[in-house]
Amino acid sequence: MGMVTKRKKMHYGDTHLQRRWRVRNRRRDLDQIDDDLRTRSGELINQNVDLDKPGFAQFYCVHCAKYFIDDTAMQAHFRTKVHKRRLKALEVEPYSIEEAERAAGRGSFVKPKKRTMETQPSKEDVVAGKRIRVEEVPEDTDATDSPSTSKTKRKKAEKMET
């Protein structure tokens, strides 16, 4: 009795297709978005009409680098988990060349700075003068604890011991 022939793999050798699939969903990196936020956020919110882009390039989320068809779709996007995750990722200072050199042993470790990030204002607010704010959060240290908080910590520790 002979063996049944082995079934061939269907997608063997389609690396040219895999590259196209991988690049199709490519979005801007966090460091590029951070550069946009610092330098040209107002320009990206108020773009000229471009008939090739969704919504004629009038509804653009700067944090996600994404175009929307109308204002209601963009406002719905601001409430989604995807947008909130991107805001959370942008709160940490982006990875830089200096940090890469420190990781390679050319310097000492410096903790990345935390920032506060808010969702972008609407087009009417931008026309009125409101801008996207990116502010650094001050570091919390144990030396700045107030005496009342240290007393409550001691009381909790004493309760736990007894």
Side-chain angles (χ1 to χ4, degrees), residues 86-97:
R86 180 55 62 101
L87 285 178
K88 191 77 167 175
L90 285 168
E91 282 182 356
V92 178
E93 187 180 33
Y95 192 74
S96 64
I97 294 171

Side-chain angles (χ1 to χ4, degrees), residues 118-137:
E118 295 178 357
T119 301
Q120 71 187 42
S122 64
K123 289 190 82 146
E124 295 82 25
D125 294 338
V126 172
V127 170
K130 189 173 181 183
R131 298 287 177 242
I132 296 176
R133 294 186 328 165
V134 178
E135 296 178 355
E136 292 184 10
V137 176

Side-chain angles (χ1 to χ4, degrees), residues 29-126:
D29 290 326
L30 291 176
D31 57 341
Q32 294 171 325
I33 291 172
D34 184 65
D35 187 41
D36 288 345
L37 284 170
R38 290 181 185 202
T39 56
R40 55 190 201 120
S41 62
E43 176 186 325
L44 287 171
I45 293 173
N46 290 324
Q47 294 183 24
N48 293 330
V49 173
D50 186 1
L51 300 177
D52 294 332
K53 294 182 180 168
F56 304 131
Q58 297 302 301
F59 308 102
Y60 182 74
C61 177
V62 179
H63 298 104
C64 300
K66 200 171 188 182
Y67 291 97
F68 294 95
I69 228 161
D70 58 359
D71 191 44
T72 56
M74 189 168 74
Q75 296 300 325
H77 163 74
F78 289 157
R79 294 187 299 268
T80 62
K81 192 181 286 189
V82 175
H83 181 75
K84 291 176 184 176
R85 252 191 241 137
R86 180 55 62 101
L87 285 178
K88 191 77 167 175
L90 285 168
E91 282 182 356
V92 178
E93 187 180 33
Y95 192 74
S96 64
I97 294 171
E98 293 83 19
E99 189 173 353
E101 288 178 355
R102 287 193 298 265
R106 298 188 186 129
S108 58
F109 176 74
V110 176
K111 189 175 180 181
K113 297 173 185 166
K114 293 284 283 179
R115 304 179 296 185
T116 57
M117 193 67 58
E118 295 178 357
T119 301
Q120 71 187 42
S122 64
K123 289 190 82 146
E124 295 82 25
D125 294 338
V126 172

